[in-house]
Structure formats: structure tokens, C-alpha cells
Amino acid sequence: EMGGAQQVLEGVLEKTKGMVAGVTCGAGMPYKLSEIAQQYGVNYLPIISSARAFRALWKRAYKKVPDLMAAVVYEDPWLAGGHNGLSNAEDPRKPEDPYPRVKALRDTMRGEGIADSVPIIMAGGVWHLRDWDNWIENEELGQIAFQLGTRPLLTKESPIPESWKSELTKIKEGDILLHKFSPTGFYSSAVRNEFLRSLEARSERQIPYATEEGGEHTHQLDVGVKGKNFWVSKADLLRAREWVGLGHTMALKTPDSTVIFAAPEESKMIRKDQADCMGCLSHCGFSAWKDHDSFSTGRLADPRSFCIQKSLQEIVHGAPVEEHLMFAGHGAYNFGTDPFYSNGFVPTVKQLMDRILTGD
């Protein structure tokens, strides 16, 4: 979903011929991945979150380049950190067992004639390999590999700031929030810190409005807005007045005919971040940017979201972790319960890999 992703990838592969083994990509539906891989003679490893998504990619593009598909990464949408591929048919509040979903993926691959020698890589929720004993050398699943994204964060070589590493050891079970505040439009999983709590609170201070009187919209909104074309229910008018009394005096319109209430300093930050948009995404809900055609999504910029480029840059360069987006998988609470990390122990990557290979 990065702006100009295809051009960037082609530029990298053009300058690194013979140096890159394969390309993995998942955001959105990466139909062009196999075509680009074929153009530069590298393998490709698509990231998907369901058999249905893989089938669509295979039918439309990948079946034309079957020999270069080195693996398929199944990224569990309820367990993995970062952005996840939940579909409209899946409930973010009801996690599904990954086993039948991966079995369905293997069944789909076999149905398309893809050999079991092409591994499925399980990503999301992987901590102890012993937890996956029934997956390994399982004929139903075929060849299986595992991807660990969260555990390597807490290693000597990990480049994230020490404040981030320290915070990882304090995470409790349930502290990772699967949310939809991301400007990409995807769900994503991150630590439910003050940053995410503020986004939750911002959306909770939200009421629907109409531009004309009618139905439940019987009262004119008289706080936070300029003009008289904001009609709301009596109950929502009272709620809005209460929020204004608490200091959330600025009403900001959303693309969904609602307004949210924010404090003046928060409103100013939102407007500045939207104005400073640098086009890092192909489509951005927060700023209404699009990287092609009209350069606009055609929707109002959404103040319920945030500038993801700013937040990720800030946290990786040492800004307070409570104030920015802190990605982590849902198993991150294990840092505080796994005896391997007792007494503040931080392993090297080699020590971590040796530990993982024992099953722990």
C-alpha cells in the first residue's frame, strides 16, 4: 500500500540483479507481484490471510508464473502484529482457529496443482515451536515453516530504541488492540498505549448529523461548529455540549456524516498533519491522498485516523512510545511470562534462534 510501491520495487530489482532471492508482499491484493518477479527472474512469496484471497490472486495472475512461487505466507489476521488482512466476511472480535484456515489454503493449492514442496509459512502468534507440534510433518498441511515477527524485536541487534524494548516486557495479555484507525483502511494490531487510547476516545466523541431537519435530527448543533446546517438528535446535542464543557470544543467532520469533538490543540495537530501529507501511501484515508489519477480518494479526510508515516518515524527514532503507534503481535505478553527473558535478559539473535530450535 506504499505510494509508488511498484516503481520502487522495480527500481530496486533493476539495481540489484543477481543479489535478491525473492520478494514477499502482502498489503492489498498484490496481483502484479508475480509479473514483476518474472521480469527480474526472482522468486515471489505472497502474503495472504485466507484461502479465498490466495485463490483470487492465483486465478488472476499467479497461475501464469507458477514456477517462481517459492512459498505462500499465511498471516493470521487475528494474531499477527501490524496490518492484517481481515475481510468484510470476518469478525475482528471473533478469532478463528488458524489450523482449518491453513488446511483450506493447502487444499486450494493442491486443487490448483501446486506441489506440497511449496511451503506455507505460518505467521502470527508463533512463539514456542512446541505449540505447533501437530502442524509439523502433518500430511494435511504439507510442508510448513514459521515466521516470527515479534520475538526478534527484543534482541541485542534489534534496531528499535531501548524504550521500545523496555516497554515490550511490560505488556500484559490482552494489551494488543486489533483496531481500524489506520489510514490504509486495513485493520492492524498494536499495543493499546496512550496513543491508541486517544484514538479510541476521539471516535467515541462522535455523533451523526444531517444537513436538514428530519427524523431523529430535530435539534441544531450549537457547539463546536460554524453554521446552522448541522441537525442532530436531542440526546446527541446534550452529549456534544458535555464534551465541549470538558474542553473538546472543536467539531471535525468525517467522511461518514458524523462529527467528532477534539480539544483545540488536538484539532490543530490533526489539521497540520493532514496538511503536511507527503504521499507515503497509495491511498490515505487520513489526508484523502491517492498516488494516481486525480490524486484524491474522493472522500473527506478522516480526522478519526492519524498520520502513520509521522508516528512510525517518531517511535523508531526514540520518541516516547506511549505517544506513537507501537506495532506488536498478540503474543507479545510472553515477554513478561517466558522465563527465557527473566531478570531482564535480552538475547542476541543467535541465542534467540538457538532457544527457538529447542521448541521454546
Side-chain angles (χ1 to χ4, degrees):
E1 287 299 295
M2 183 177 68
Q6 184 174 329
Q7 297 97 308
V8 171
L9 178 56
E10 290 174 340
V12 169
L13 292 175
E14 181 67 35
K15 299 287 187 180
T16 58
K17 288 181 179 178
M19 299 167 63
V20 175
V23 175
T24 186
C25 178
M29 291 290 278
Y31 293 110
K32 292 282 188 179
L33 182 60
S34 58
E35 179 184 319
I36 295 171
Q38 185 178 44
Q39 181 181 349
Y40 292 96
V42 299
N43 289 313
Y44 65 100
L45 303 84
I47 304 171
I48 53 87
S49 59
S50 68
R52 181 181 178 185
F54 176 78
R55 183 182 291 110
L57 289 164
W58 178 264
K59 294 290 188 184
R60 180 165 166 178
Y62 295 174
K63 67 178 181 180
K64 300 173 186 175
V65 194
D67 295 341
L68 291 178
M69 189 169 68
V72 176
V73 181
Y74 168 78
E75 185 176 70
D76 190 88
W78 293 278
L79 295 173
H83 290 99
N84 303 325
L86 276 166
S87 72
N88 293 332
E90 293 159 338
D91 190 336
R93 297 161 298 182
K94 295 180 179 178
E96 296 180 14
D97 180 357
Y99 185 96
R101 294 173 64 87
V102 172
K103 181 182 179 302
L105 171 59
R106 178 61 76 187
D107 290 343
T108 298
M109 292 170 66
R110 287 169 173 163
E112 298 296 341
I114 302 169
D116 279 9
S117 57
V118 176
I120 294 173
I121 300 174
M122 173 64 201
V126 182
W127 194 270
H128 301 124
L129 285 182
R130 55 178 160 80
D131 296 333
W132 306 85
D133 277 349
N134 64 318
W135 287 50
I136 299 169
E137 297 183 355
N138 183 318
E139 291 186 2
E140 283 191 331
L141 301 181
Q143 189 168 326
I144 289 287
F146 298 92
Q147 175 178 311
L148 295 97
T150 296
R151 286 191 78 171
L153 289 173
L154 191 55
T155 55
K156 297 283 190 186
E157 295 93 336
S158 170
I160 66 174
E162 291 303 314
S163 57
W164 188 340
K165 293 181 184 182
S166 175
E167 201 65 24
L168 288 171
T169 65
K170 303 172 187 176
I171 294 171
K172 301 290 189 293
E173 190 167 5
D175 279 355
I176 307 300
L177 179 67
L178 180 59
H179 67 89
K180 205 175 185 183
F181 298 121
S182 171
T184 63
F186 291 108
Y187 280 93
S188 71
S189 292
V191 178
R192 193 167 181 248
N193 57 7
E194 285 303 313
F195 175 76
L196 278 191
R197 290 180 192 278
S198 70
L199 288 170
E200 290 180 283
R202 192 187 298 176
S203 281
E204 287 167 2
R205 295 190 301 270
Q206 179 174 197
I207 57 174
Y209 73 91
T211 55
E212 296 179 354
E213 182 181 9
E216 293 183 348
H217 302 99
T218 54
H219 290 66
Q220 282 187 319
L221 185 61
D222 57 8
V223 291
V225 295
K226 296 179 180 179
K228 298 181 178 180
N229 60 335
F230 292 85
W231 292 84
V232 299
S233 70
K234 181 179 180 180
D236 284 341
L237 176 61
L238 295 176
R239 293 169 68 208
R241 288 173 176 172
E242 180 181 354
W243 295 328
V244 168
L246 294 172
H248 305 289
T249 58
M250 309 297 293
L252 305 174
K253 291 196 291 185
T254 80
D256 300 316
S257 298
T258 66
V259 288
I260 64 162
F261 285 79
E265 61 272 18
E266 184 178 26
S267 175
K268 183 179 180 181
M269 179 195 72
I270 291 169
R271 293 305 191 209
K272 183 180 187 306
D273 288 348
Q274 289 174 332
D276 289 345
C277 175
M278 59 176 286
C280 69
L281 298 175
S282 64
H283 296 71
C284 180
F286 180 64
S287 68
W289 159 263
K290 184 173 67 172
D291 70 353
H292 57 282
D293 300 333
S294 64
F295 302 106
S296 170
T297 62
R299 283 170 59 82
L300 193 67
D302 196 336
R304 296 166 297 187
S305 188
F306 61 96
C307 178
I308 194 166
Q309 185 272 146
K310 171 189 169 183
S311 193
L312 293 177
Q313 287 285 349
E314 290 288 328
I315 194 170
V316 81
H317 288 102
V321 294
E322 278 295 322
E323 299 176 11
H324 294 284
L325 182 65
M326 183 180 172
F327 282 141
H330 286 254
Y333 68 91
N334 285 300
F335 284 123
T337 60
D338 190 332
F340 183 57
Y341 301 95
S342 59
N343 299 315
F345 176 66
V346 176
T348 63
V349 170
K350 184 180 187 308
Q351 287 171 322
L352 174 62
M353 291 304 301
D354 288 344
R355 175 75 172 189
I356 288 171
L357 292 175
T358 68
D360 287 330

